[in-house]
């Protein structure tokens, strides 16, 4: 079993109404001074510039995030393209291996019993050129 610490009971203090009223009064007085100060043109310009600065900073953050997202997507697309290129190269090698003349000839003779014809079995057929018609 672990040790258990027993803490003393905390006494809550009742708020003094005079202190609360004086705090609220000073807050109202300060807020009134702020509102009076905002009516001056240089304070308004400064406030407007701060708002524009904040909006610009938020825009920079948003555009940086979009840039990162788009760059990650681009990287994935490059990887996919490289995979497809690799597969295409392998398919070209396989096609060239399967269509080699010696392989086709051996498959034709073993599977289908085909042989290369001799000179006496070759017949040349003359090429017939169609007549040109004039209209």
């Amino acid at each position: 079993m672990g040790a258990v610490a027993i803490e003393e009971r905390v006494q809550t203090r009742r708020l003094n109404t005079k202190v609360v009223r004086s705090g609220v009064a000073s807050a109202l007085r300060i807020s009134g001074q702020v509102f009076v100060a905002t009516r001056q043109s240089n304070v308004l310009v400064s406030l407007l510039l701060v708002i524009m600065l904040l909006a610009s900073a938020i825009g920079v953050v948003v555009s940086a995030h979009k840039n990162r997202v788009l760059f990650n997507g681009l990287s994935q697309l490059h990887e996919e393209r490289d995979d497809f290129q690799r597969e295409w190269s392998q398919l070209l090698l396989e096609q060239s291996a399967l269509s080699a003349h010696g392989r086709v000839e051996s498959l034709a003779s073993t599977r289908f019993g085909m042989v290369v014809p001799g000179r006496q079995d070759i017949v040349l057929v003359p090429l017939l050129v169609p007549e040109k018609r004039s209209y």
Side-chain angles (χ1 to χ4, degrees), residues 36-81:
V36 168
T38 56
R39 292 188 182 130
Q40 297 174 0
S41 64
N42 59 351
V43 174
L44 279 176
V45 169
S46 298
L47 186 62
L48 182 64
L49 287 175
V50 167
I51 291 171
M52 290 174 56
L53 177 70
L54 289 175
S56 174
I58 290 172
V60 167
V61 168
V62 168
S63 68
H65 175 69
K66 279 186 179 181
N67 186 24
R68 286 188 187 108
V69 168
L70 290 174
F71 184 75
N72 288 338
L74 179 65
S75 297
Q76 289 174 352
L77 288 174
H78 279 301
E79 288 176 15
E80 190 175 344
R81 180 204 59 195

Side-chain angles (χ1 to χ4, degrees), residues 40-131:
Q40 297 174 0
S41 64
N42 59 351
V43 174
L44 279 176
V45 169
S46 298
L47 186 62
L48 182 64
L49 287 175
V50 167
I51 291 171
M52 290 174 56
L53 177 70
L54 289 175
S56 174
I58 290 172
V60 167
V61 168
V62 168
S63 68
H65 175 69
K66 279 186 179 181
N67 186 24
R68 286 188 187 108
V69 168
L70 290 174
F71 184 75
N72 288 338
L74 179 65
S75 297
Q76 289 174 352
L77 288 174
H78 279 301
E79 288 176 15
E80 190 175 344
R81 180 204 59 195
D82 293 342
D83 290 342
F84 285 137
Q85 187 67 34
R86 193 175 306 111
E87 183 181 359
W88 176 251
S89 298
Q90 290 172 352
L91 288 173
L92 286 176
L93 284 173
E94 184 178 348
Q95 180 188 18
S96 66
L98 291 176
S99 64
H101 182 70
R103 183 176 185 280
V104 171
E105 190 174 329
S106 68
L107 282 176
S109 64
T110 56
R111 283 193 184 170
F112 304 113
M114 298 174 80
V115 294
V116 178
R119 282 187 171 249
Q120 68 277 5
D121 295 331
I122 297 175
V123 177
L124 294 176
V125 178
L127 179 66
L128 296 176
V129 180
E131 295 177 19

